[in-house]
Amino acid sequence: MKRILMTLFIISMLSGCNADKPVSQTIFAMDTVMEITAYTDTETLTEAINEINRLDSIWSASKKDSFVYKLNKDKTADADKDTLSLLNTEKEIFTISEGAFDPTVYPVVEEWGFISKDFHVPDEAVIQKLLKNVDFDKVTIQGNKVSLENKNASLDMGAAAKGYTSQKITDLFREKGVSSALVALGGNIQALGTKPDGSLWRIGIQDPDSEGYIGVVDVADKAVVTSGGYQRFFEENGVTYHHIINPKTGYPAGSGLVSATIVSSNGTKADCLSTAVFVMGLEKAAEMWQKSSDFAMILVDENKKIYVTEDIADNFTCETDFEIIRKEG
Ligand code: AMP
Ligand code: MG
């Protein structure tokens, strides 16, 4: 339902355009519904769809001929250019988030049932045992050979693949001379250029508690990526458990944030960072943002208070008050 609303929202933004009609296609890939809309020809759109399916087949953790499946099984595998580039950005965000973003948390995610959908709260002892395998520093890259030094480790690209893909697709469109497109991969949105009439793309930020939106951000040439516990969760004995795991504890992150949106011209970073920030919480995320210059944040805490970094505040519209996080000094 939320997806349908998001789709309607995006389409309503598109219908405000008075240029030539866009081409659009909806597919299911990377475990989510994707909608690509671009002011281009169907041939270029098909090329983009083929590229999404190609990246999905490399990074799927379950498809038996994927790079990730092979790496997890054999503990070593040869990576292609896209995988090396994705891993490098993941390493960067792992470092600046001080391990809040860590793709090797995958065995813990699996144990909670988020892959098989056989959801359950694991035994504490099992979590502790699995945590010993979690350390992205022990994933080594030599040339194009990727290895898991820890023989019980495995990883997934679930927190970053969609961001890399939206970046790749907008780059592909740009190279083909396309100047206006919207790539919506589940909760990952990336805008190419502006709408054809020159106005900014209007992206709704999902209300974590309802089908509506907490606000709208106006962007051009930016990725807008949201991580939130409301996106995937289960309930046991009246307690809700979501799919974003704190790699230090092995439990769903309880940082006080219910949603973390990153706005950045780098889609891959935006996706890694949204997951990282959701785990880190307001204070640590704000500290990380102070030291960076290539992303902005829109955060919602469990009291529904909204925090927006000053670099995006003028482009954010919302019916309630929000607090602005400013650069120090
Ligand atoms: P996202 O929706 O981009 O925040 O990614 C969430 C997905 O990333 C989960 O479904 C897991 O597959 C994986 N994941 C969960 N926790 C983490 C984490 N702390 N670091 C990296 N990946 C994670
Ligand atoms: Mg992410």
Side-chain angles (χ1 to χ4, degrees), residues 31 90 99-106 109-110 114-115 156-163 188 225-228 231-232 242-248 253 260 270-276 278-279:
D31 212 20
E90 289 186 324
F101 174 86
D102 188 336
T104 65
V105 80
Y106 182 58
V109 175
E110 261 187 317
F114 285 108
I115 309 301
D156 87 320
M157 305 297 202
K162 292 195 283 290
N188 284 55
V225 181
T226 301
S227 287
Q231 291 169 340
R232 200 172 290 192
H242 60 70
H243 67 305
I244 304 175
I245 304 294
N246 182 338
K248 306 274 191 297
D271 199 2
C272 298
L273 282 167
S274 69
T275 310
F278 184 85
V279 173

Side-chain angles (χ1 to χ4, degrees), residues 112-132:
W112 281 88
F114 285 108
I115 309 301
S116 63
K117 312 259 191 306
D118 177 17
F119 304 114
H120 65 280
V121 178
D123 288 343
E124 173 68 30
V126 174
I127 290 182
Q128 291 313 320
K129 192 166 166 230
L130 291 174
L131 279 181
K132 295 199 174 87

Side-chain angles (χ1 to χ4, degrees), residues 294-309:
D294 55 358
F295 71 95
M297 308 190 288
I298 301 164
L299 310 176
V300 185
D301 77 7
E302 52 205 4
N303 301 316
K304 280 206 99 169
K305 186 162 176 189
I306 301 170
Y307 299 84
V308 180
T309 53

Side-chain angles (χ1 to χ4, degrees), residues 14 22-23 36-40 169-170 173-174 178-184 189-196 201 221-222:
L14 288 165
V23 288
I36 321 299
T37 306
Y39 289 80
T40 184
I169 298 309
T170 48
F173 283 149
R174 196 177 288 111
V178 180
S179 55
S180 185
L182 201 61
V183 177
I189 315 281
Q190 190 150 355
L192 170 63
T194 60
K195 287 194 268 181
W201 293 104
D221 280 317
K222 291 269 191 293

